[in-house]
Amino acid sequence: MIWLMDCVYLAVGAFLLPFWLLKIPTAPRYRAGILQRLGLSPRLDPGRRRLWIHCASVGEAAIPTMLVADFRRRFPDWQIVFSTNTDTGAARLRELHPGATVFYLPLDLSPCVALALRRIAPTVLLLVELEFWPNLTGACAERGVPIGIINGRITGGSQRMLKAMSRLWPRLWRGVSVCCARGPDDAEGFIRAGLARERVFDCGMLKCDQPPAEPLPEELARLQSMFQIAAGAPVLVAGSTRVGEESILAAAYRDLISKYRRLRMIVVPRHVERAREAVAAGRGRGLPAVTKTDLDLGRATADGTEVIVVDTIGELSACYALATVTFVGGSLLPPGGGQNVMEAAALGKPVLTGPYTTNFRTEVELLRAAGTAVLVRTAADLVDEVDRLLLDPVRARGIGAAGRRTVERNRGASERTFRHVEKLATGGLTT
C-alpha cells in the first residue's frame, strides 16, 4: 500500500508539474521550503525527547497554544517543534512561539517521510484537526512514534474517503493512538471512518480555550487613525474572505453606505497574496479601495471612504476588535467550508456567516443555537442583517456579549485534551 500511495502521489505530481513550474519562479509561497518538503527537515538531536506538532496553515497555528503551554510546564525538558504547509502558517507559528523550530511538512512520499523522520527524530506527533497523511502515519507507527489528533474535525467527504481507504488498507489508522475530537459529531465521524472507538474521545473545541486576542489600546488607536475611522463610526469587518466573496461584500457595502455614510468596511482575505484581487473587487463595484501596506508605506492615504484591504499577517483579531459587526468568510460560495467563527465571538462581536460552513459546522451550530451567529446567503441578506444590527446598537452589543459567554461556557477542552497527550508522552498510550 505504501508503494501504491507513492504511485498515486507521483501520478498526481506529474499532472500538476506544469502548473508548479509556472508558479515556482513567480510566486514565493510555491518556493517556500522546497528542500524541507523533500525531506531535508532541520537535523535535530536524536537523543532528546521531542514533541512534533503539525498545523496545516495559519488558521490552525493558534489552536494548540494553551496545550503547548501546559506541555511545557509538565515536560520542561522536551523540545517542541512545529511543521506547517504554508508560508503564512510558518510566519504565524514563529510569531506565536519565538525561538521554536518551525519547518515545512515533507511530501507524503515514503523516501521524503523517512528522511524527515530521521532528521527530526520525534518522540510524539500531534496532528491539529485532520492532517492525515498515510505514509507519514504509517512510518511513525513502524518507528514506534505515537500519534494524536487534537481538536479533531472530519468532513463528510474526508470520512467517506478514509473509510474506503481503511477497507483497502486495514492498518491505515494503526499509527493513531488517540483522537481528541472537537465534538460528538466529529467523534462519530472518525469512528465511521475506521478509527477504533476506544481511541476516540469528545474533548471539545480547543478554540474556545484560546484567550481572546485583545489588542493593546494603542494598537487599536493606531489602526483607527490609519484607516480614518471616526470616533463612534460603525465598522463592518469581513475576515478570512475567499475568491468571489469580496465582490459580494462590496455590493452589500455600496448599498449600506447610502444609508450609513460613516460606515467603514475592512476586508481581511484568507490568503494575503489575494489582497490586490480584493482591492480590484471593491473598485469593480465603483468603490475606492486601498491596502494596509500602501497606507503603512505612505503610498496612499485614507479619507474615510475607502474599503480597507488588510494584506499583512496576524491582523485579523485586531480588526475584529474594531468591528461593530463581523462577517466570517469562506462561507458564501460553494464549496466553501467556512473559517473560524469563534475568534470574533470571543471578542464579543456579532457574527454573520454564509451557508457553506461544513468545516466549522460544530462551531457555527453552537453560536447559532445561542443566537449569536446569523446565516446570510446573498448580498441582500448581508445588507438586511447589518442594517438590523446598526439600527439597534444595544441589541448588537447584547448579541456580541452572548457570543463571548458562549465561548467561555465551552472552555476546558485544553485540559481534557492534555490528559490524553500526557499519556502519549509518558507511554500510557502506544501505537
Side-chain angles (χ1 to χ4, degrees):
M1 288 302 299
I2 291 173
W3 285 107
L4 177 59
M5 289 303 304
D6 282 345
C7 289
V8 170
Y9 289 141
L10 290 171
V12 173
F15 177 76
L16 294 175
L17 184 60
F19 171 81
W20 282 89
L21 290 176
L22 286 172
K23 286 290 185 180
I24 285 174
T26 58
R29 72 187 182 100
Y30 287 93
R31 299 194 298 272
I34 286 180
L35 294 180
Q36 292 181 358
R37 296 181 198 274
L38 295 175
L40 291 172
S41 305
R43 190 184 295 277
L44 304 176
D45 179 5
R48 188 174 180 186
R49 287 178 293 184
R50 185 169 295 111
L51 175 65
W52 172 7
I53 302 177
H54 176 64
C55 308
S57 188
V58 65
E60 293 75 28
I63 290 174
T65 301
M66 297 291 290
L67 186 71
V68 168
D70 290 340
F71 194 94
R72 283 180 171 145
R73 283 191 292 269
R74 173 67 175 83
F75 302 101
D77 57 323
W78 282 55
Q79 181 184 16
I80 303 178
V81 301
F82 302 89
S83 63
T84 185
N85 298 333
T86 67
D87 55 345
T88 53
R92 183 64 172 146
L93 285 166
R94 293 187 181 106
E95 178 186 354
L96 290 168
H97 308 284
T101 297
V102 177
F103 55 94
Y104 290 88
L105 187 75
L107 297 173
D108 200 45
L109 290 165
S110 56
C112 300
V113 167
L115 177 58
L117 286 174
R118 286 197 299 271
R119 296 172 70 93
I120 299 165
T123 310
V124 173
L125 171 62
L126 296 182
L127 305 174
V128 178
E129 299 204 331
L130 180 59
E131 269 289 297
F132 190 83
W133 297 101
N135 281 343
L136 175 61
T137 57
C140 284
E142 290 173 2
R143 290 162 174 77
V145 177
I147 298 171
I149 297 172
I150 60 172
N151 204 58
R153 68 177 177 90
I154 187 167
T155 64
S158 295
Q159 177 189 307
R160 290 187 292 273
M161 179 187 71
L162 290 168
K163 182 178 181 179
M165 290 179 65
S166 65
R167 287 174 175 169
L168 293 171
W169 193 353
R171 301 184 68 200
L172 178 72
W173 292 100
R174 71 191 187 280
V176 178
S177 299
V178 64
C179 173
C180 299
R182 64 179 180 168
D185 291 344
D186 289 287
E188 285 301 315
F190 279 102
I191 293 165
R192 286 193 291 269
L195 187 51
R197 183 175 293 274
E198 63 271 16
R199 298 189 179 194
V200 181
F201 301 88
D202 173 10
C203 293
M205 290 178 282
L206 289 176
K207 290 173 182 176
C208 288
D209 282 2
Q210 295 174 32
E214 302 275 6
L216 296 172
E218 52 266 33
E219 172 64 10
L220 287 183
R222 187 182 72 85
L223 290 177
Q224 284 177 313
S225 175
M226 180 190 302
F227 297 164
Q228 287 294 295
I229 299 173
V235 180
L236 169 62
V237 175
S240 300
T241 58
R242 293 196 171 183
V243 175
E245 291 184 323
E246 292 92 0
S247 181
I248 297 171
L249 288 159
Y253 180 59
R254 189 180 59 191
D255 288 347
L256 285 163
I257 57 176
S258 65
K259 182 174 182 179
Y260 302 97
R261 296 197 176 277
R262 300 172 74 218
L263 176 66
R264 304 304 314 277
M265 185 166 76
I266 301 171
V267 177
V268 188
R270 176 68 176 84
H271 299 107
V272 294
E273 63 270 18
R274 290 193 54 256
R276 293 294 174 186
E277 182 181 335
V279 167
R283 292 174 179 170
R285 294 287 185 174
L287 298 167
V290 64
T291 66
K292 179 177 178 291
T293 294
D294 284 345
L295 294 175
D296 267 332
L297 298 178
R299 293 194 296 245
T301 56
D303 63 10
T305 64
E306 303 87 355
V307 174
I308 305 294
V309 177
V310 176
D311 58 344
T312 48
I313 296 170
E315 305 273 15
L316 183 57
S317 290
C319 290
Y320 279 154
L322 291 172
T324 311
V325 183
T326 66
F327 169 80
V328 180
S331 60
L332 264 181
L333 298 170
Q339 293 296 325
N340 180 17
V341 293
M342 306 306 282
E343 189 172 3
L347 289 166
K349 305 298 179 179
V351 175
L352 307 180
T353 183
Y356 302 102
T357 56
T358 53
N359 291 343
F360 292 84
R361 64 184 184 280
T362 302
E363 293 94 327
V364 171
E365 288 169 6
L366 179 68
L367 294 182
R368 290 189 68 191
T372 64
V374 177
L375 185 148
V376 295
R377 296 181 180 276
T378 64
D381 289 346
L382 189 63
V383 170
D384 289 344
E385 294 300 335
V386 173
D387 187 35
R388 289 190 185 99
L389 291 166
L390 296 185
L391 282 172
D392 192 348
V394 173
R395 173 175 170 265
R397 287 193 294 271
I399 289 172
R404 189 193 292 266
R405 290 194 298 271
T406 300
V407 174
E408 291 172 350
R409 281 197 302 269
N410 285 273
R411 295 193 188 282
S414 289
E415 182 181 347
R416 292 187 290 271
T417 301
F418 180 73
R419 289 198 289 266
H420 296 288
V421 174
E422 185 178 34
K423 291 179 182 178
L424 287 179
T426 57
L429 291 172
T430 57
T431 58

